Amino acid sequence: GAVVSQHPSWVICKSGTSVKIECRSLDFQATTMFWYRQFPKQSLMLMATSNEGSKATYEQGVEKDKFLINHASLTLSTLTVTSAHPEDSSFYICSTLARETQYFGPGTRLLVL
Amino acid sequence: GEDVEQSLFLSVREGDSSVINCTYTDSSSTYLYWYKQEPGAGLQLLTYIFSNMDMKQDQRLTVLLNKKDKHLSLRIADTQTGDSAIYFCAEREGSGTYKYIFGTGTRLKVLA
């Protein structure tokens, strides 16, 4: 498989601040990564597909100005939650596409106060 | 749109077999996957099956695919307490985007 890390593993921030979450592919050069969010006891909801060197493709209903995605290298994609509000509190998980299979990071828990 | 359904809960005794079921709707799916999620963690890939296969076995795990009925199952033999987790099935969209559609997840509880 592929090894994926996320940083930070959890973050608490005040409402109105921006939070950046990093997703790293440690042993595979990933042209494509995916960002998901997961509410408690629910399934994963795909937010966007991150493509190295080009703009991310967002799913319907996901605000691209709210959730900024940057995939500047083959090993790093970042998700920035801008002007975070309590309703943005969630578990954010990234995955990398390696050999046509998605491998997931450990997730980042965001709590907005 | 596409939908992937799973039963929410399953409880088994240690040493018994567990069978987790999944139904999907996209007949053009090429691959179907099973992932395991432990509390507060990401998803761990357990196994996958290509759509032209009926069965795949990998140690304690057996995947059965009924493409006609769009039904997928995961059997865990000799279930252990460490198998307690949420299990997600996922289908890969047939559009070539590598996007997955995840099921609702089945919470497996293994009783000692």
Side-chain angles (χ1 to χ4, degrees):
Chain A
V3 181
V4 183
S5 71
Q6 283 185 240
H7 177 80
S9 55
W10 57 271
V11 57
I12 301 173
C13 69
K14 290 183 180 179
S15 188
T17 59
S18 294
V19 175
K20 181 186 283 189
I21 302 170
E22 294 183 347
C23 176
R24 290 184 186 275
S25 178
L26 299 181
D27 59 351
F28 191 85
Q29 293 190 323
T31 305
T32 302
M33 291 185 177
F34 299 90
W35 285 96
Y36 296 83
R37 68 185 295 182
Q38 184 181 30
F39 291 104
K41 299 185 179 179
Q42 292 191 25
S43 189
L44 279 73
M45 182 191 82
L46 179 65
M47 299 175 68
T49 304
S50 170
N51 302 295
E52 187 267 336
S54 64
K55 290 183 180 180
T57 304
Y58 290 81
E59 294 300 300
Q60 192 171 9
V62 178
E63 300 175 58
K64 57 182 69 175
D65 295 330
K66 170 77 173 173
F67 300 99
L68 299 178
I69 291 173
N70 184 282
H71 193 156
S73 78
L74 289 171
T75 58
L76 174 65
S77 175
T78 61
L79 168 69
T80 301
V81 183
T82 61
S83 186
H85 290 283
E87 57 265 30
D88 299 324
S89 298
S90 190
F91 192 55
Y92 292 87
I93 310 177
C94 69
S95 71
T96 186
L97 186 66
R99 293 174 292 279
E100 301 190 353
T101 298
Q102 289 190 34
Y103 295 91
F104 287 80
T108 296
R109 188 163 302 281
L110 170 64
L111 177 61
V112 185
L113 301 177
Chain B
E2 296 88 0
D3 201 11
V4 182
E5 297 284 340
Q6 297 178 240
S7 51
L8 291 180
F9 298 102
L10 177 65
S11 179
V12 299
R13 295 209 173 272
E14 192 174 22
D16 288 349
S17 292
S18 307
V19 179
I20 302 170
N21 295 299
C22 171
T23 57
Y24 61 98
T25 56
D26 186 356
S27 57
S28 64
S29 293
T30 52
Y31 286 90
L32 296 122
Y33 303 83
W34 284 104
Y35 286 87
K36 175 184 180 183
Q37 185 179 34
E38 298 191 48
L43 274 68
Q44 173 194 352
L45 177 66
L46 292 177
T47 188
Y48 63 89
I49 189 167
F50 188 51
S51 59
N52 68 352
M53 298 171 64
D54 298 323
M55 186 184 87
K56 181 179 180 182
Q57 186 158 0
D58 184 359
Q59 299 182 335
R60 291 192 297 125
L61 305 179
T62 303
V63 179
L64 295 177
L65 175 61
N66 182 327
K67 199 172 179 182
K68 174 176 171 287
D69 294 338
K70 298 190 187 69
H71 182 265
L72 180 74
S73 68
L74 174 69
R75 178 177 179 271
I76 305 173
D78 187 26
T79 313
Q80 302 297 306
T81 54
D83 294 325
S84 293
I86 301 175
Y87 290 80
F88 291 96
C89 66
E91 60 170 344
R92 192 172 106 185
E93 285 189 351
S95 58
T97 63
Y98 299 103
K99 288 163 59 172
Y100 292 2
I101 300 170
F102 281 87
T104 46
T106 298
R107 187 177 296 271
L108 173 65
K109 184 172 183 178
V110 182
L111 305 172

